[in-house]
Amino acid sequence: QVQLAESGGGLVQAGRSLRLSCAVSGTIFSLNTMGWYRQAPGKQRELVATITNGGTTNYADSMKGRFTISRDNVQNTVHLQMDDLKPEDTAVYYCNVRFIISGTNYWGQGTQVTVSS
């Protein structure tokens, strides 16, 4: 079993920054991709960014240049540095880990990010 615990969400003014963190625990296979997704009210969950165990990153176009994903393979943590936040970034942000060989996905409970104008 795998557990994910997010932290770092909150209320922030537009233009400011937030850093989200996710701690992954349990039985973790080394070949995996960790990532962040978000879901705004009335919208589908969407990709924010992912990072492989080798450090290859992928970002949604609207986040490029503003968000930075990173991970610590020893601590099994993944982080999302969000700069120049905009009101449209308001959403619940979910941490995800996907094991490459099995394709199994695990999700965190989500952390609310609210950006005021």
Side-chain angles (χ1 to χ4, degrees), residues 12-92:
V12 65
Q13 288 184 324
R16 304 297 292 270
S17 299
L18 275 178
R19 179 178 169 86
L20 304 183
S21 295
C22 176
V24 185
S25 60
T27 303
I28 302 168
F29 299 103
S30 58
L31 293 177
N32 64 72
T33 297
M34 294 183 176
W36 290 92
Y37 293 74
R38 70 185 187 185
Q39 187 166 17
K43 295 187 177 182
Q44 290 188 330
R45 191 172 297 187
E46 63 175 353
L47 167 73
V48 175
T50 60
I51 183 168
T52 69
N53 54 283
T56 300
T57 58
N58 178 51
Y59 294 90
D61 286 343
S62 61
M63 285 65 146
K64 288 180 181 177
R66 299 191 300 124
F67 292 7
T68 304
I69 191 170
S70 61
R71 64 185 283 169
D72 184 325
N73 288 337
V74 175
Q75 299 291 329
N76 289 316
T77 55
V78 59
H79 308 281
L80 184 69
Q81 177 67 37
M82 305 186 292
D83 298 321
D84 190 25
L85 283 161
K86 306 176 187 300
E88 52 263 41
D89 294 318
T90 295
V92 177

